[in-house]
Amino acid sequence: MAKFLAVGAGFSGAVIARTLAEAGHEVDIVDARSHVAGNCHTERDAETGVMLHKYGPHIFHTDNERVWDYLNQFTEFMPYTNRVKTTSQGKVYSLPINLLTINQFFGTAMSPSEARDFIESQADLSIEDPQTFEEQALRFVGRDLYEAFFKGYTQKQWGCSPTQLPASILKRLPVRFNYNDNYFFHKYQGMPRDGYTAIVEKILDHPDIILSLNTTFRREQASTYEHVFYSGPIDGYFDYELGRLGYRTLDFREIRAQGDYQGCAVMNYGDESVPYTRIAEHKYFSPWEEHEGTVCFAEYSRACEDGDIPYYPIRLTEEQELLRRYVALAKQQESVTFVGRLGTYRYLDMDVTIKEALEAADQFLTLRGPGQKIPAFFVDPI
Ligand code: FAD
Ligand code: UDP
């Protein structure tokens, strides 16, 4: 029997398992699903040969040298720049908001400084310290751009008004006063040549790691291990005994065609009257490949119910309160550390997930010893 168990074979569980194995330990890793890589799972479509991002589009981007070097041991990254378009009121615009978007939207030919002054004149400067998504948008882009690109999309994505959501969600997106339409501003960006699942398979390819798929962890199993790293949902660990933390889940409607369906990887839809948030055309995620056929997923967001896959933690006030109570319960557990997007109920990109997993395993190996209490969290989820 191995000493350690990692629950979940997404990036969190896999990176921790590998780090412990490289330190000379035997590690079991289980996942309830039939594949590794969690929500980053990719799979080649049998009919067209297109690499599909089965749980929605994943683009790798980071500023973190350690994470970048770490992943490059397991894959070759191909050059990829995420350039997103959006359709609003029957017209197509460039995202994130940049000088092209501003000039297209307002029918102008402004220079960077003119656009900056113009947007400043549109902004609600009375909002000094934006707290909500809507306040953040009104303060930084003004009402017209907010209503065209963010209000409807966000209402669909999160199932509530942007007045109820934190400003931090919008802070993920830049506003640029030049024609740079790169969706991200990180130093490194790329797409793994053979997809994300191949990376996780390689991370787990170590003689001291035993992987069991189609295997659901139950809390009772924890006591048979010296320590458990749990990357499943924190409320699920406690059989939802205090109630369910709110998540959004996604339904994907598959569209198949020949040739080119929409001419880009991701087309967002800003209007609330369009029921889906975006359409991803997967062959555009592997621009170095050529395929005759094409496969797209239209994404529909809705409240996550029992049996659905949890995608986006909502983290509104009531969830924060419930989260506090689950965190208190978690801290009473012996020998379990909660990690990852679900274990800490946070909106985490892959690079942050990997960074935190590397650091959690490092800290664990340093702390571990007779009489040492290992914390339930290496990163405070609240
Ligand atoms: P997960 O990948 O969710 O893995 C957790 C695993 O635990 C799952 O496989 C699950 O089956 C398993 N599990 C849960 N409970 C149990 C149990 N009781 N027993 C056994 N197994 C269990 N990040 C980016 O950097 N770039 C992007 O472009 C990007 N796009 C995204 C798009 C979407 C639609 C979503 C939802 C996320 C996106 N992300 C993106 C974030 C990325 O998916 C996460 O950062 C990453 O998946 C987190 O990894 P994880 O291992 O913590 O969790
Ligand atoms: N968003 C929006 N319109 C868009 C794109 C994004 O309103 O066209 C909002 C939406 O609330 C989303 C947030 O900005 O949740 C962050 O966007 P991002 O693209 O980072 O979301 P992801 O799908 O990657 O989580």
Side-chain angles (χ1 to χ4, degrees), residues 304-357:
C304 183
E305 289 168 14
D306 198 5
D308 292 329
I309 295 172
Y311 282 83
Y312 294 97
I314 301 177
R315 291 182 77 102
L316 296 180
T317 317
E318 62 200 67
E319 276 91 17
Q320 296 273 15
E321 186 43 43
L322 188 54
L323 176 63
R324 259 181 244 290
R325 296 173 62 209
Y326 275 120
V327 166
L329 268 186
K331 287 183 175 168
Q332 291 165 18
Q333 304 302 301
E334 286 294 318
S335 314
V336 183
T337 297
F338 294 78
V339 294
R341 211 179 207 223
L342 306 170
T344 63
Y345 191 60
R346 285 175 308 144
Y347 196 94
L348 297 183
D349 281 328
M350 289 180 279
D351 62 327
V352 182
T353 305
I354 293 163
K355 171 184 173 285
E356 291 188 359

Short mmCIF file of all heavy atoms in Angstrom, two decimals, residues 304-357:
data_model
loop_
_atom_site.label_atom_id
_atom_site.label_comp_id
_atom_site.label_asym_id
_atom_site.label_seq_id
_atom_site.Cartn_x
_atom_site.Cartn_y
_atom_site.Cartn_z
N CYS A 304 -25.17 24.51 -11.70
CA CYS A 304 -24.71 23.13 -11.58
C CYS A 304 -25.59 22.40 -10.57
O CYS A 304 -25.79 22.88 -9.46
CB CYS A 304 -23.26 23.19 -11.08
SG CYS A 304 -22.47 21.60 -10.94
N GLU A 305 -26.12 21.26 -10.99
CA GLU A 305 -26.96 20.48 -10.09
C GLU A 305 -26.28 19.16 -9.77
O GLU A 305 -25.25 18.82 -10.35
CB GLU A 305 -28.33 20.26 -10.72
CG GLU A 305 -29.11 21.56 -10.75
CD GLU A 305 -30.35 21.50 -11.60
OE1 GLU A 305 -30.77 20.38 -11.98
OE2 GLU A 305 -30.89 22.58 -11.91
N ASP A 306 -26.91 18.41 -8.88
CA ASP A 306 -26.41 17.10 -8.48
C ASP A 306 -26.10 16.27 -9.73
O ASP A 306 -26.94 16.16 -10.61
CB ASP A 306 -27.53 16.42 -7.66
CG ASP A 306 -26.98 15.29 -6.84
OD1 ASP A 306 -25.75 15.12 -6.85
OD2 ASP A 306 -27.78 14.59 -6.20
N GLY A 307 -24.92 15.73 -9.86
CA GLY A 307 -24.60 14.89 -11.02
C GLY A 307 -23.94 15.65 -12.16
O GLY A 307 -23.39 15.04 -13.07
N ASP A 308 -24.00 16.99 -12.15
CA ASP A 308 -23.34 17.77 -13.19
C ASP A 308 -21.87 17.97 -12.85
O ASP A 308 -21.48 17.89 -11.69
CB ASP A 308 -23.96 19.18 -13.31
CG ASP A 308 -25.38 19.12 -13.85
OD1 ASP A 308 -25.68 18.21 -14.64
OD2 ASP A 308 -26.18 20.00 -13.46
N ILE A 309 -21.08 18.31 -13.87
CA ILE A 309 -19.67 18.60 -13.62
C ILE A 309 -19.54 20.06 -13.17
O ILE A 309 -20.01 20.96 -13.86
CB ILE A 309 -18.84 18.38 -14.90
CG1 ILE A 309 -18.87 16.90 -15.27
CG2 ILE A 309 -17.41 18.87 -14.72
CD1 ILE A 309 -18.25 16.59 -16.62
N PRO A 310 -18.91 20.29 -12.00
CA PRO A 310 -18.75 21.69 -11.57
C PRO A 310 -17.63 22.37 -12.37
O PRO A 310 -16.52 21.87 -12.42
CB PRO A 310 -18.37 21.57 -10.09
CG PRO A 310 -17.85 20.19 -9.91
CD PRO A 310 -18.35 19.33 -11.03
N TYR A 311 -17.93 23.50 -13.00
CA TYR A 311 -16.93 24.21 -13.79
C TYR A 311 -16.44 25.48 -13.09
O TYR A 311 -15.28 25.60 -12.75
CB TYR A 311 -17.48 24.59 -15.16
CG TYR A 311 -17.53 23.45 -16.15
CD1 TYR A 311 -18.57 22.54 -16.17
CD2 TYR A 311 -16.52 23.30 -17.10
CE1 TYR A 311 -18.61 21.51 -17.08
CE2 TYR A 311 -16.56 22.26 -18.02
CZ TYR A 311 -17.61 21.37 -18.01
OH TYR A 311 -17.64 20.35 -18.91
N TYR A 312 -17.36 26.44 -12.91
CA TYR A 312 -16.94 27.75 -12.38
C TYR A 312 -17.50 27.96 -10.98
O TYR A 312 -18.72 28.05 -10.81
CB TYR A 312 -17.47 28.87 -13.29
CG TYR A 312 -16.88 28.89 -14.67
CD1 TYR A 312 -17.55 28.32 -15.74
CD2 TYR A 312 -15.67 29.52 -14.92
CE1 TYR A 312 -17.03 28.34 -17.03
CE2 TYR A 312 -15.13 29.56 -16.20
CZ TYR A 312 -15.81 28.97 -17.25
OH TYR A 312 -15.28 29.01 -18.50
N PRO A 313 -16.63 28.10 -9.96
CA PRO A 313 -17.13 28.46 -8.62
C PRO A 313 -17.72 29.86 -8.64
O PRO A 313 -17.13 30.78 -9.19
CB PRO A 313 -15.88 28.40 -7.74
CG PRO A 313 -14.72 28.42 -8.64
CD PRO A 313 -15.16 28.00 -10.00
N ILE A 314 -18.89 30.04 -8.04
CA ILE A 314 -19.57 31.35 -8.15
C ILE A 314 -19.08 32.35 -7.10
O ILE A 314 -18.89 33.52 -7.39
CB ILE A 314 -21.11 31.16 -8.09
CG1 ILE A 314 -21.55 30.23 -9.22
CG2 ILE A 314 -21.81 32.51 -8.22
CD1 ILE A 314 -23.02 29.91 -9.23
N ARG A 315 -18.89 31.91 -5.88
CA ARG A 315 -18.31 32.76 -4.84
C ARG A 315 -19.05 34.06 -4.59
O ARG A 315 -18.44 35.13 -4.44
CB ARG A 315 -16.84 33.08 -5.14
CG ARG A 315 -15.93 31.86 -5.03
CD ARG A 315 -14.51 32.21 -5.28
NE ARG A 315 -13.93 32.85 -4.12
CZ ARG A 315 -13.15 32.25 -3.24
NH1 ARG A 315 -12.80 31.01 -3.39
NH2 ARG A 315 -12.68 32.92 -2.21
N LEU A 316 -20.37 34.02 -4.55
CA LEU A 316 -21.13 35.19 -4.10
C LEU A 316 -21.14 35.17 -2.57
O LEU A 316 -20.63 34.23 -1.96
CB LEU A 316 -22.54 35.19 -4.68
CG LEU A 316 -22.61 35.30 -6.20
CD1 LEU A 316 -24.05 35.28 -6.68
CD2 LEU A 316 -21.93 36.57 -6.66
N THR A 317 -21.78 36.18 -1.98
CA THR A 317 -21.71 36.31 -0.52
C THR A 317 -22.17 35.04 0.20
O THR A 317 -21.54 34.59 1.15
CB THR A 317 -22.59 37.50 -0.08
OG1 THR A 317 -22.31 38.56 -1.00
CG2 THR A 317 -22.26 37.96 1.32
N GLU A 318 -23.29 34.46 -0.27
CA GLU A 318 -23.78 33.28 0.47
C GLU A 318 -22.84 32.08 0.34
O GLU A 318 -22.66 31.31 1.28
CB GLU A 318 -25.21 32.92 0.05
CG GLU A 318 -25.37 32.54 -1.39
CD GLU A 318 -26.81 32.67 -1.86
OE1 GLU A 318 -27.32 33.81 -1.93
OE2 GLU A 318 -27.41 31.64 -2.18
N GLU A 319 -22.20 31.95 -0.84
CA GLU A 319 -21.22 30.86 -1.00
C GLU A 319 -20.00 31.10 -0.12
O GLU A 319 -19.43 30.16 0.43
CB GLU A 319 -20.76 30.74 -2.46
CG GLU A 319 -21.67 29.92 -3.33
CD GLU A 319 -22.71 30.76 -4.00
OE1 GLU A 319 -22.52 31.99 -4.05
OE2 GLU A 319 -23.72 30.19 -4.48
N GLN A 320 -19.62 32.36 0.02
CA GLN A 320 -18.46 32.68 0.86
C GLN A 320 -18.70 32.22 2.29
O GLN A 320 -17.82 31.69 2.95
CB GLN A 320 -18.21 34.21 0.88
CG GLN A 320 -17.85 34.79 -0.46
CD GLN A 320 -16.35 34.73 -0.73
OE1 GLN A 320 -15.62 34.01 -0.04
NE2 GLN A 320 -15.89 35.44 -1.74
N GLU A 321 -19.95 32.43 2.74
CA GLU A 321 -20.29 32.05 4.11
C GLU A 321 -20.23 30.52 4.26
O GLU A 321 -19.67 29.98 5.20
CB GLU A 321 -21.71 32.60 4.43
CG GLU A 321 -22.16 32.42 5.86
CD GLU A 321 -21.06 32.74 6.88
OE1 GLU A 321 -20.36 33.74 6.73
OE2 GLU A 321 -20.90 31.93 7.84
N LEU A 322 -20.82 29.83 3.27
CA LEU A 322 -20.81 28.36 3.31
C LEU A 322 -19.36 27.84 3.20
O LEU A 322 -18.97 26.88 3.87
CB LEU A 322 -21.68 27.83 2.17
CG LEU A 322 -21.96 26.33 2.13
CD1 LEU A 322 -22.55 25.83 3.45
CD2 LEU A 322 -22.93 26.01 0.97
N LEU A 323 -18.60 28.49 2.34
CA LEU A 323 -17.19 28.09 2.17
C LEU A 323 -16.45 28.19 3.51
O LEU A 323 -15.70 27.28 3.89
CB LEU A 323 -16.52 28.97 1.11
CG LEU A 323 -15.03 28.73 0.90
CD1 LEU A 323 -14.76 27.33 0.39
CD2 LEU A 323 -14.44 29.75 -0.08
N ARG A 324 -16.67 29.29 4.23
CA ARG A 324 -16.04 29.45 5.54
C ARG A 324 -16.32 28.25 6.43
O ARG A 324 -15.45 27.75 7.13
CB ARG A 324 -16.60 30.70 6.23
CG ARG A 324 -15.72 31.88 6.14
CD ARG A 324 -16.36 33.06 6.90
NE ARG A 324 -16.65 34.11 5.97
CZ ARG A 324 -15.77 34.88 5.35
NH1 ARG A 324 -14.56 34.74 5.60
NH2 ARG A 324 -16.09 35.79 4.48
N ARG A 325 -17.57 27.78 6.38
CA ARG A 325 -17.95 26.66 7.26
C ARG A 325 -17.28 25.36 6.81
O ARG A 325 -16.84 24.56 7.62
CB ARG A 325 -19.48 26.55 7.32
CG ARG A 325 -20.11 27.80 7.96
CD ARG A 325 -21.62 27.82 7.88
NE ARG A 325 -22.22 26.70 8.58
CZ ARG A 325 -23.39 26.15 8.25
NH1 ARG A 325 -24.08 26.60 7.22
NH2 ARG A 325 -23.86 25.14 8.93
N TYR A 326 -17.20 25.16 5.49
CA TYR A 326 -16.50 23.96 5.01
C TYR A 326 -15.00 24.03 5.32
O TYR A 326 -14.37 23.02 5.65
CB TYR A 326 -16.73 23.76 3.51
CG TYR A 326 -18.02 23.02 3.19
CD1 TYR A 326 -19.01 23.60 2.42
CD2 TYR A 326 -18.23 21.72 3.68
CE1 TYR A 326 -20.20 22.92 2.14
CE2 TYR A 326 -19.40 21.04 3.40
CZ TYR A 326 -20.38 21.64 2.64
OH TYR A 326 -21.54 20.96 2.37
N VAL A 327 -14.44 25.23 5.21
CA VAL A 327 -13.01 25.37 5.50
C VAL A 327 -12.75 25.04 6.97
O VAL A 327 -11.77 24.36 7.31
CB VAL A 327 -12.53 26.80 5.13
CG1 VAL A 327 -11.16 27.11 5.72
CG2 VAL A 327 -12.47 26.95 3.61
N ALA A 328 -13.67 25.47 7.84
CA ALA A 328 -13.51 25.16 9.27
C ALA A 328 -13.56 23.65 9.49
O ALA A 328 -12.74 23.09 10.23
CB ALA A 328 -14.61 25.86 10.07
N LEU A 329 -14.47 22.98 8.79
CA LEU A 329 -14.55 21.51 8.90
C LEU A 329 -13.26 20.86 8.38
O LEU A 329 -12.73 19.93 8.99
CB LEU A 329 -15.69 20.98 8.03
CG LEU A 329 -17.09 20.79 8.62
CD1 LEU A 329 -17.98 20.11 7.57
CD2 LEU A 329 -17.03 19.94 9.88
N ALA A 330 -12.80 21.37 7.25
CA ALA A 330 -11.59 20.79 6.63
C ALA A 330 -10.40 20.89 7.57
O ALA A 330 -9.57 19.97 7.65
CB ALA A 330 -11.29 21.51 5.31
N LYS A 331 -10.32 22.01 8.27
CA LYS A 331 -9.18 22.22 9.17
C LYS A 331 -9.19 21.26 10.36
O LYS A 331 -8.19 21.09 11.02
CB LYS A 331 -9.14 23.67 9.64
CG LYS A 331 -8.69 24.61 8.51
CD LYS A 331 -8.58 26.04 8.98
CE LYS A 331 -8.01 26.90 7.84
NZ LYS A 331 -8.12 28.33 8.11
N GLN A 332 -10.37 20.65 10.61
CA GLN A 332 -10.43 19.66 11.71
C GLN A 332 -9.99 18.27 11.26
O GLN A 332 -9.86 17.37 12.08
CB GLN A 332 -11.86 19.54 12.24
CG GLN A 332 -12.35 20.78 12.98
CD GLN A 332 -13.87 20.74 13.16
OE1 GLN A 332 -14.50 19.70 13.04
NE2 GLN A 332 -14.45 21.90 13.41
N GLN A 333 -9.83 18.07 9.95
CA GLN A 333 -9.46 16.73 9.46
C GLN A 333 -7.99 16.45 9.74
O GLN A 333 -7.17 17.36 9.72
CB GLN A 333 -9.67 16.63 7.94
CG GLN A 333 -11.06 16.95 7.47
CD GLN A 333 -12.10 16.06 8.13
OE1 GLN A 333 -12.05 14.85 7.99
NE2 GLN A 333 -13.05 16.67 8.84
N GLU A 334 -7.70 15.21 9.96
CA GLU A 334 -6.31 14.79 10.13
C GLU A 334 -5.77 14.38 8.76
O GLU A 334 -6.44 13.65 8.03
CB GLU A 334 -6.25 13.54 11.03
CG GLU A 334 -6.50 13.80 12.51
CD GLU A 334 -5.41 14.65 13.15
OE1 GLU A 334 -4.22 14.41 12.85
OE2 GLU A 334 -5.75 15.55 13.94
N SER A 335 -4.60 14.80 8.42
CA SER A 335 -3.86 14.25 7.28
C SER A 335 -4.54 14.39 5.92
O SER A 335 -4.44 13.49 5.08
CB SER A 335 -3.58 12.76 7.52
OG SER A 335 -3.12 12.53 8.80
N VAL A 336 -5.27 15.50 5.71
CA VAL A 336 -5.82 15.76 4.38
C VAL A 336 -5.50 17.20 4.01
O VAL A 336 -5.70 18.11 4.82
CB VAL A 336 -7.36 15.61 4.33
CG1 VAL A 336 -7.87 15.81 2.91
CG2 VAL A 336 -7.78 14.25 4.85
N THR A 337 -4.99 17.40 2.80
CA THR A 337 -4.78 18.76 2.30
C THR A 337 -5.66 18.96 1.07
O THR A 337 -5.70 18.11 0.18
CB THR A 337 -3.28 18.98 1.96
OG1 THR A 337 -2.53 18.86 3.17
CG2 THR A 337 -3.06 20.35 1.37
N PHE A 338 -6.36 20.08 1.06
CA PHE A 338 -7.29 20.40 -0.03
C PHE A 338 -6.58 21.31 -1.03
O PHE A 338 -6.00 22.32 -0.64
CB PHE A 338 -8.54 21.09 0.53
CG PHE A 338 -9.35 20.19 1.41
CD1 PHE A 338 -8.96 19.94 2.72
CD2 PHE A 338 -10.49 19.55 0.93
CE1 PHE A 338 -9.69 19.07 3.54
CE2 PHE A 338 -11.23 18.69 1.72
CZ PHE A 338 -10.82 18.45 3.03
N VAL A 339 -6.61 20.93 -2.29
CA VAL A 339 -5.87 21.67 -3.33
C VAL A 339 -6.74 21.88 -4.57
O VAL A 339 -7.77 21.23 -4.75
CB VAL A 339 -4.58 20.90 -3.75
CG1 VAL A 339 -3.58 20.84 -2.61
CG2 VAL A 339 -4.91 19.50 -4.25
N GLY A 340 -6.27 22.78 -5.43
CA GLY A 340 -6.85 22.92 -6.77
C GLY A 340 -8.09 23.77 -6.83
O GLY A 340 -8.54 24.34 -5.84
N ARG A 341 -8.63 23.80 -8.02
CA ARG A 341 -9.77 24.65 -8.31
C ARG A 341 -11.00 24.27 -7.48
O ARG A 341 -11.71 25.12 -6.97
CB ARG A 341 -10.11 24.47 -9.81
CG ARG A 341 -10.68 25.70 -10.44
CD ARG A 341 -10.96 25.47 -11.92
NE ARG A 341 -10.87 26.76 -12.59
CZ ARG A 341 -11.72 27.17 -13.51
NH1 ARG A 341 -12.69 26.40 -13.95
NH2 ARG A 341 -11.59 28.35 -14.05
N LEU A 342 -11.21 22.96 -7.32
CA LEU A 342 -12.40 22.50 -6.60
C LEU A 342 -12.14 22.36 -5.10
O LEU A 342 -13.00 22.65 -4.29
CB LEU A 342 -12.85 21.14 -7.16
CG LEU A 342 -13.09 21.08 -8.66
CD1 LEU A 342 -13.30 19.64 -9.13
CD2 LEU A 342 -14.31 21.92 -9.02
N GLY A 343 -10.93 21.92 -4.77
CA GLY A 343 -10.59 21.71 -3.36
C GLY A 343 -10.52 23.00 -2.58
O GLY A 343 -10.73 23.03 -1.37
N THR A 344 -10.21 24.11 -3.30
CA THR A 344 -10.15 25.41 -2.63
C THR A 344 -11.24 26.35 -3.15
O THR A 344 -11.28 27.51 -2.77
CB THR A 344 -8.77 26.08 -2.77
OG1 THR A 344 -8.53 26.34 -4.15
CG2 THR A 344 -7.66 25.19 -2.22
N TYR A 345 -12.07 25.84 -4.06
CA TYR A 345 -13.23 26.59 -4.55
C TYR A 345 -12.82 27.98 -5.06
O TYR A 345 -13.32 29.00 -4.64
CB TYR A 345 -14.27 26.72 -3.43
CG TYR A 345 -15.63 27.25 -3.88
CD1 TYR A 345 -16.38 26.58 -4.84
CD2 TYR A 345 -16.16 28.41 -3.33
CE1 TYR A 345 -17.61 27.06 -5.24
CE2 TYR A 345 -17.39 28.90 -3.73
CZ TYR A 345 -18.11 28.21 -4.69
OH TYR A 345 -19.33 28.70 -5.09
N ARG A 346 -11.81 27.97 -5.97
CA ARG A 346 -11.36 29.24 -6.55
C ARG A 346 -11.26 29.13 -8.06
O ARG A 346 -11.04 28.06 -8.59
CB ARG A 346 -9.99 29.64 -5.96
CG ARG A 346 -10.07 30.17 -4.54
CD ARG A 346 -8.70 30.43 -3.96
NE ARG A 346 -7.88 29.25 -4.13
CZ ARG A 346 -6.58 29.27 -4.39
NH1 ARG A 346 -5.94 30.40 -4.52
NH2 ARG A 346 -5.92 28.16 -4.53
N TYR A 347 -11.36 30.29 -8.73
CA TYR A 347 -11.28 30.41 -10.18
C TYR A 347 -9.79 30.41 -10.55
O TYR A 347 -9.15 31.45 -10.52
CB TYR A 347 -11.93 31.76 -10.49
CG TYR A 347 -12.34 32.07 -11.89
CD1 TYR A 347 -13.64 31.84 -12.31
CD2 TYR A 347 -11.46 32.69 -12.79
CE1 TYR A 347 -14.04 32.22 -13.59
CE2 TYR A 347 -11.86 33.05 -14.06
CZ TYR A 347 -13.15 32.81 -14.45
OH TYR A 347 -13.55 33.17 -15.71
N LEU A 348 -9.21 29.26 -10.82
CA LEU A 348 -7.76 29.17 -11.05
C LEU A 348 -7.44 28.78 -12.48
O LEU A 348 -7.99 27.81 -13.00
CB LEU A 348 -7.14 28.07 -10.17
CG LEU A 348 -7.19 28.19 -8.66
CD1 LEU A 348 -6.45 27.02 -8.03
CD2 LEU A 348 -6.55 29.48 -8.24
N ASP A 349 -6.52 29.50 -13.08
CA ASP A 349 -6.00 29.07 -14.38
C ASP A 349 -5.02 27.92 -14.18
O ASP A 349 -4.54 27.67 -13.08
CB ASP A 349 -5.31 30.24 -15.08
CG ASP A 349 -6.32 31.19 -15.72
OD1 ASP A 349 -7.38 30.70 -16.16
OD2 ASP A 349 -6.06 32.40 -15.78
N MET A 350 -4.69 27.25 -15.30
CA MET A 350 -3.81 26.08 -15.20
C MET A 350 -2.46 26.41 -14.58
O MET A 350 -1.94 25.64 -13.76
CB MET A 350 -3.56 25.48 -16.60
CG MET A 350 -4.77 24.80 -17.18
SD MET A 350 -4.42 24.12 -18.81
CE MET A 350 -4.59 25.56 -19.85
N ASP A 351 -1.89 27.54 -14.97
CA ASP A 351 -0.53 27.84 -14.46
C ASP A 351 -0.54 28.06 -12.95
O ASP A 351 0.38 27.61 -12.26
CB ASP A 351 0.07 29.05 -15.20
CG ASP A 351 -0.71 30.34 -15.01
OD1 ASP A 351 -1.95 30.29 -14.88
OD2 ASP A 351 -0.07 31.40 -14.97
N VAL A 352 -1.58 28.70 -12.45
CA VAL A 352 -1.65 28.93 -10.99
C VAL A 352 -1.87 27.59 -10.29
O VAL A 352 -1.28 27.31 -9.25
CB VAL A 352 -2.78 29.94 -10.66
CG1 VAL A 352 -2.81 30.21 -9.16
CG2 VAL A 352 -2.60 31.22 -11.44
N THR A 353 -2.71 26.74 -10.90
CA THR A 353 -2.95 25.40 -10.34
C THR A 353 -1.62 24.65 -10.22
O THR A 353 -1.34 24.04 -9.18
CB THR A 353 -3.88 24.62 -11.30
OG1 THR A 353 -5.06 25.38 -11.50
CG2 THR A 353 -4.22 23.26 -10.77
N ILE A 354 -0.82 24.69 -11.28
CA ILE A 354 0.44 23.94 -11.28
C ILE A 354 1.44 24.55 -10.29
O ILE A 354 2.08 23.83 -9.52
CB ILE A 354 1.02 23.89 -12.72
CG1 ILE A 354 0.08 23.05 -13.59
CG2 ILE A 354 2.44 23.33 -12.74
CD1 ILE A 354 0.27 23.24 -15.07
N LYS A 355 1.50 25.86 -10.26
CA LYS A 355 2.40 26.54 -9.30
C LYS A 355 2.01 26.14 -7.87
O LYS A 355 2.87 25.76 -7.07
CB LYS A 355 2.26 28.05 -9.48
CG LYS A 355 2.95 28.87 -8.42
CD LYS A 355 2.66 30.36 -8.67
CE LYS A 355 3.18 31.24 -7.54
NZ LYS A 355 2.37 31.17 -6.32
N GLU A 356 0.73 26.21 -7.57
CA GLU A 356 0.29 25.89 -6.20
C GLU A 356 0.54 24.42 -5.87
O GLU A 356 0.87 24.08 -4.74
CB GLU A 356 -1.18 26.25 -6.01
CG GLU A 356 -1.40 27.76 -6.03
CD GLU A 356 -2.81 28.18 -5.65
OE1 GLU A 356 -3.66 27.29 -5.39
OE2 GLU A 356 -3.07 29.39 -5.64
N ALA A 357 0.37 23.54 -6.85
CA ALA A 357 0.58 22.11 -6.62
C ALA A 357 2.07 21.84 -6.34
O ALA A 357 2.42 21.08 -5.44
CB ALA A 357 0.10 21.29 -7.81
#
